[in-house]
Amino acid sequence: MNKTEMNERIREIVGQLTLEEKVRMIHGDALFYSGDVERLHIPAVHMSDGPMGVRCEFPRASWIPVGNSDDYVTYCPSNSAIAATWNPELAYKVGQVLGEETRGRGKDMILGPGINIKRVPANGRNFEYMSEDPHLISELVVPLIEGIQESDVAACVKHFALNNQETERLWVNVEIDERALREIYLPGFEAAVKKGNAHAIMGAYNLMRGVHCCENQELLGEILRKEWKFDGVIVSDWSAVHHTKAAAESPLDIEMSVTYDFDDYKMARPLLEAVRKGEVDEACIDEKVANILRMMIRPKMLEAAGRKAGCYNTPEHREKVRKVAEEAIILLKNEEDILPLQPEQTKELLIIGDNAERLHALGGGSAEIKALYEISPLMGIKSQLGGNTKVTFARGYCVSPKEEAEVNWQETSTEEGAMTKLKEEREQVSAELMEKRKALREEAVNLAQNCENVIIIAGLNHDYDVEGYDRDTMELPYEQDLLIEEVLKVAPNAVVVMRAGNPVSMGKWKDKAKAIVWEYYSGMEAGNVLAGILFGKVNPSGKLPETIPYCMEDCGAIQLGEFPGRALTEEEKQRMDAHTTVEYKDGIYVGYRYYEKYQVPVQFCFGHGLSYTAFTYGDVSVTKEVGNALAVTFSIKNVGTVAGMETAQVYVGKKESNVDRPVKELKGFKKVFLQPGEEKKVSISLSKDAFTYYDVKEKAFVVEPGTYQIYVARSLDHVEKVIEIPVS
Ligand code: BGC
């Protein structure tokens, strides 16, 4: 069906709908369904979280899961893990898994991917997001969406926009300058819309420049609809709509919420009444319905036949997510080539740390997954080593106990003060708990004293990487630093594995540990994959999609900007319907852009990641391609003894500039696989966009003519070659 035919069909259907039916379609009629119109065979839109797989089944009006045995799914690596692969083909593969399983479970829309910028390492939802860098996000989100939508379902990219913290997430206003908005916070969404053709976008909870995102004309109207020509569906985050008239007159299409009073949603009965009283024009509703119908036509929701059926829990899906997890694990440090460990020589192995045994799938908030299975590191290692190695486990530390919740967190998640309980619980320390931790630590240290091979598997869990809560500090919880330090004293070759969704401070022991491995939540095959990396079956090839600073206070958002914001005055509160405001004075200086410009030392830099083999880079040349793009060409050779993958990164900078700008910015990358001794030519294309900045006066991305530096690098700090070129 071409565009004209589609619009004709939409017009026809809209013409047949009554006002009541139209209003039914534009708000939730169940926690994860919009309203249907049986008379005209218009189905409801069945939605499901989330970014790491298709969430379990919920009743229409209850946050207590149905609890059947038929909604177990493939648990995919988190978006941070996908970003750590730096591999668009793998992003596409996860997309395929998500899309097939969404359809396989009978849904129409998956509420993901989440692509907000990681502005502060405090954000409890950072594990759901990809990176601090807009280019990396843009390159990965497009294939991810394409993979999803291939299965006749819609991807709903979230959370548009500036949802960069969980503190006061429903009531925080973001003040941001136009350049930072355009250069840092919007490009991922723009790529998702313009290149990925996402069928849906989720409006964020927070406010932008004094207006709630889901009612925000500037964001949804001027930018998303007019500039980017987005004609898909805009869905609100659950309870992000606050005012009937403002929402109705904004480009938002579907209001969703966490409460069960569906008929009383802002865009339900109150809207019907407003239209009848003449306060809101019915044409606003027609437009929303048209967008919903267009979204339905694309994944064939209105066809009697021909729509893909999907599938879930297939062996192919498990294989795909395993592959992604393999490329997502990052080797941060490997002195004396401590890793990989040799299975035949490992007669005894001591594994320390609660994270060796903890399963993470069913945590984190709306991204939770009812996984078909999840292999813990302990199980992965044991199953890979078999019976010839004696594996001992010592927990080493324990988490703080939590009370069984009376209601599902999401049911009350939007109520005042609802999201404080976990924070208090996770940080609680009692004399008894301290004693327990001390005993666990002593046990681990004693065992480590007499064991040649020790692996510590620690980090965070979903008490910290969790929706609704931010962290106050990057320090490891549960006295883990003390544990790691003491173990390293008696077992200096102990390998440290950090499993976490957000940077952590490793400063107390980082220099003492010889080997450090970083793992984001990497799905159901995590334990098998980690074992493969530790024992050399898999050569690590992940690179950091974000900087790991020393501590929270070091980051640009806190040094230059504000976080988590200041309380509004009574007058402001009334005017904006918000509680706090946060000014992004850090502007474009987010992540490495800040650390590099302000010369702040970090634990591990953006783009860093080692391998069990070694690579050399050949000479770099820059040539003109057709259409004025530049090709940066060089060769990479595997000079080690095992096959491996290297991600070459191209950064662009301009030392002499009239514009305030970062030292350099990522503008291209490529991952290559090389057998030992093999050499490959790599060519990375830079379009004009790679040289632009956002000119606030011109209201456009422009190029400042002059000399630019092109950096070919292994990571931000490890530059191989710099070439200067003139650009006009
Ligand atoms: C989250 C969304 C999620 C929605 C539905 C909200 O709390 O912010 O990301 O998709 O709930 O579960």
Side-chain angles (χ1 to χ4, degrees):
M1 194 186 306
N2 67 29
K3 215 170 173 182
T4 325
E5 287 166 351
M6 178 153 62
N7 288 339
E8 194 41 51
R9 181 157 180 218
I10 291 169
R11 220 183 341 262
E12 231 172 71
I13 304 175
V14 176
Q16 293 171 45
L17 287 162
T18 64
L19 173 65
E20 290 72 13
E21 286 168 336
K22 288 187 278 194
V23 169
R24 235 186 103 61
M25 287 176 65
I26 63 168
H27 66 86
D29 184 41
L31 290 177
F32 286 100
Y33 297 177
S34 60
D36 63 350
V37 181
E38 239 186 294
R39 182 177 72 85
L40 295 177
H41 309 289
I42 301 174
V45 184
H46 289 201
M47 309 168 201
S48 174
D49 283 305
M52 286 150 78
V54 187
R55 199 174 176 190
C56 65
E57 218 57 56
F58 286 93
R60 295 184 68 87
S62 165
W63 282 105
I64 308 297
V66 171
N68 288 347
S69 61
D70 59 358
D71 57 354
Y72 289 93
V73 292
T74 302
Y75 168 31
C76 301
S78 63
N79 281 324
S80 302
I82 296 172
T85 70
W86 291 63
N87 189 340
E89 277 170 37
L90 292 183
Y92 173 66
K93 285 198 171 129
V94 188
Q96 286 182 313
V97 173
L98 279 172
E100 279 172 15
E101 301 222 345
T102 303
R103 193 62 214 116
R105 285 269 308 278
K107 314 285 179 200
D108 306 304
M109 183 186 286
I110 183 94
L111 304 172
I115 59 163
N116 292 91
I117 286 281
K118 298 191 189 188
R119 174 176 179 254
V120 208
N123 185 356
R125 291 191 91 171
N126 273 353
F127 73 99
E128 288 188 62
Y129 302 145
M130 288 181 166
S131 175
E132 64 191 26
D133 182 77
H135 182 77
L136 185 57
I137 296 173
S138 304
E139 292 297 300
L140 296 172
V141 74
V142 172
L144 185 51
I145 294 167
E146 286 169 350
I148 292 173
Q149 296 192 159
E150 240 175 46
S151 286
D152 290 342
V153 293
C156 184
V157 184
K158 63 193 191 183
H159 308 86
F160 191 62
L162 302 169
N163 191 176
N164 309 107
Q165 67 182 58
E166 289 297 283
T167 311
E168 287 280 3
R169 65 176 176 162
L170 259 83
W171 307 105
V172 60
N173 171 51
V174 177
E175 289 299 330
I176 184 169
D177 71 84
E178 195 63 17
R179 182 171 171 206
L181 182 68
R182 299 293 180 151
E183 287 187 21
I184 307 290
Y185 295 92
L186 292 187
F189 289 102
E190 186 171 3
V193 167
K194 296 209 309 215
K195 295 190 187 153
N197 295 316
H199 297 333
I201 292 272
M202 187 187 291
Y205 278 131
N206 51 284
L207 297 84
M208 175 180 113
R209 296 176 179 154
V211 184
H212 285 277
C213 282
C214 286
E215 302 165 6
N216 197 307
Q217 284 291 353
E218 186 187 2
L219 186 67
L220 305 183
E222 294 307 314
I223 298 176
L224 184 57
R225 293 283 191 213
K226 283 201 195 132
E227 263 186 56
W228 301 350
K229 310 214 171 352
F230 177 69
D231 63 1
V233 157
I234 307 174
V235 182
S236 77
D237 201 340
W238 271 231
S239 300
V241 174
H242 298 266
H243 312 97
T244 296
K245 189 170 157 67
E249 290 175 350
S250 86
L252 179 85
D253 298 311
I254 302 180
E255 178 195 3
M256 298 302 291
S257 186
V258 297
T259 56
Y260 312 142
D261 53 344
F262 310 110
D263 291 342
D264 293 325
Y265 281 12
K266 301 281 182 296
M267 294 213 305
R269 202 167 16 221
L271 176 57
L272 210 50
E273 281 161 18
V275 176
R276 286 185 187 134
K277 280 193 215 146
E279 289 164 8
V280 171
D281 189 346
E282 191 171 340
C284 300
I285 300 173
D286 289 354
E287 206 161 302
K288 297 180 197 307
V289 172
N291 292 330
I292 296 171
L293 290 169
R294 189 174 305 108
M295 191 282 289
M296 289 179 165
I297 291 171
R298 287 175 173 150
K300 306 194 184 72
M301 283 177 66
L302 300 184
E303 310 296 312
R307 189 174 183 196
K308 287 184 184 155
C311 53
Y312 59 110
N313 283 324
T314 68
E316 291 75 25
H317 288 179
R318 300 197 274 278
E319 178 53 25
K320 280 182 180 162
V321 300
R322 190 184 55 74
K323 186 84 190 81
V324 178
E326 281 184 359
E327 290 196 27
I329 292 183
I330 306 163
L331 181 61
L332 291 179
K333 194 174 171 188
N334 195 18
E335 276 173 18
E336 298 169 28
D337 290 336
I338 290 277
L339 285 173
L341 303 171
Q342 305 303 321
E344 311 77 47
Q345 286 153 29
T346 311
K347 296 291 167 229
E348 272 194 1
L349 175 66
L350 171 64
I351 300 182
I352 299 172
D354 180 81
N355 254 351
E357 216 210 18
R358 182 165 294 271
L359 302 183
H360 296 285
L362 255 183
S366 60
E368 66 179 10
I369 292 302
K370 189 170 162 185
L372 181 64
Y373 63 79
E374 178 183 353
I375 307 288
S376 70
L378 189 59
M379 175 147 54
I381 292 170
K382 277 189 160 180
S383 100
Q384 203 159 114
L385 289 179
N388 290 344
T389 307
K390 184 180 165 228
V391 179
T392 309
F393 171 64
R395 192 167 302 283
Y397 65 92
C398 63
V399 308
S400 302
K402 286 193 299 294
E403 264 175 48
E404 195 63 45
E406 275 158 33
V407 287
N408 177 302
W409 68 274
Q410 206 154 5
E411 182 166 345
T412 51
S413 59
T414 56
E415 290 170 15
E416 282 261 28
M419 308 298 273
T420 51
K421 189 158 176 268
L422 174 75
K423 206 162 177 172
E424 282 160 16
E425 280 180 339
R426 74 186 182 188
E427 275 145 30
Q428 66 161 292
V429 270
S430 59
E432 200 188 334
L433 196 61
M434 297 284 279
E435 271 309 307
K436 195 171 165 195
R437 287 197 180 133
K438 188 163 171 258
L440 287 171
R441 189 163 58 241
E442 281 171 2
E443 179 202 33
V445 175
N446 282 338
L447 288 167
Q449 217 146 19
N450 302 312
C451 190
E452 220 175 285
N453 300 295
V454 179
I455 304 174
I456 304 169
I457 304 183
L460 300 177
N461 55 41
H462 285 309
D463 282 356
Y464 286 86
D465 289 315
V466 64
E467 179 171 341
Y469 302 89
D470 292 325
R471 286 185 304 165
D472 300 324
T473 156
M474 270 176 52
E475 296 294 311
L476 282 169
Y478 321 127
E479 295 173 43
Q480 289 180 75
D481 281 332
L482 202 54
L483 170 74
I484 300 172
E485 277 180 283
E486 290 191 4
V487 171
L488 283 170
K489 265 187 215 152
V490 298
N493 287 348
V495 171
V496 185
V497 178
M498 283 285 112
R499 308 185 86 196
N502 230 340
V504 297
S505 298
M506 295 176 258
K508 295 200 175 101
W509 45 265
K510 176 180 148 270
D511 294 338
K512 291 173 204 142
K514 291 181 185 164
I516 307 175
V517 174
W518 184 272
E519 190 208 336
Y520 289 111
Y521 300 105
S522 52
M524 66 203 299
E525 283 288 323
N528 285 334
V529 170
L530 184 65
I533 297 263
L534 294 171
F535 287 93
K537 257 197 192 171
V538 179
N539 188 353
S541 67
K543 297 226 179 191
L544 282 173
E546 62 187 312
T547 314
I548 305 192
Y550 274 96
C551 59
M552 199 79 80
E553 295 66 36
D554 273 357
C555 87
I558 292 173
Q559 285 300 319
L560 304 178
E562 289 178 347
F563 170 81
R566 70 162 173 91
L568 291 170
T569 63
E570 277 314 311
E571 183 277 322
E572 287 168 326
K573 274 188 185 166
Q574 295 296 328
R575 179 161 43 83
M576 288 190 232
D577 197 11
H579 299 170
T580 54
T581 192
V582 46
E583 198 174 333
Y584 285 18
K585 290 183 200 149
D586 38 327
I588 55 170
Y589 292 108
V590 176
Y592 69 82
R593 287 168 170 78
Y594 169 72
Y595 303 115
E596 194 173 37
K597 179 90 170 185
Y598 289 80
Q599 297 175 10
V600 179
V602 299
Q603 298 186 92
F604 295 100
C605 72
F606 179 80
H608 171 73
L610 304 172
S611 164
Y612 293 153
T613 191
F615 303 101
T616 54
Y617 281 61
D619 281 344
V620 181
S621 68
V622 179
T623 49
K624 270 227 154 84
E625 281 183 325
V626 237
N628 258 349
L630 295 178
V632 184
T633 310
F634 50 93
S635 59
I636 304 183
K637 187 171 181 183
N638 181 349
V639 292
T641 51
V642 288
M645 276 176 272
E646 167 68 345
T647 301
Q649 299 154 39
V650 170
Y651 296 84
V652 173
K654 189 169 193 330
K655 281 191 184 144
E656 281 174 22
S657 173
N658 296 325
V659 182
D660 178 30
R661 52 170 91 218
V663 177
K664 58 182 189 285
E665 298 176 275
L666 183 76
K667 294 296 173 182
F669 60 89
K670 199 162 262 174
K671 191 166 193 174
V672 282
F673 174 81
L674 295 162
Q675 292 292 350
E678 193 183 1
E679 182 165 13
K680 269 187 192 156
K681 206 165 136 189
V682 177
S683 188
I684 295 173
S685 186
L686 295 180
S687 69
K688 183 183 153 225
D689 294 347
F691 301 93
T692 57
Y693 73 95
Y694 189 81
D695 186 326
V696 179
K697 277 199 204 117
E698 296 278 320
K699 294 198 168 105
F701 279 90
V702 299
V703 178
E704 182 193 9
T707 304
Y708 283 77
Q709 289 76 39
I710 295 184
Y711 303 81
V712 173
R714 296 169 192 254
S715 70
L716 187 88
D717 287 353
H718 193 151
V719 172
E720 281 293 322
K721 301 269 151 62
V722 190
I723 287 218
E724 298 220 316
I725 53 146
V727 175
S728 51

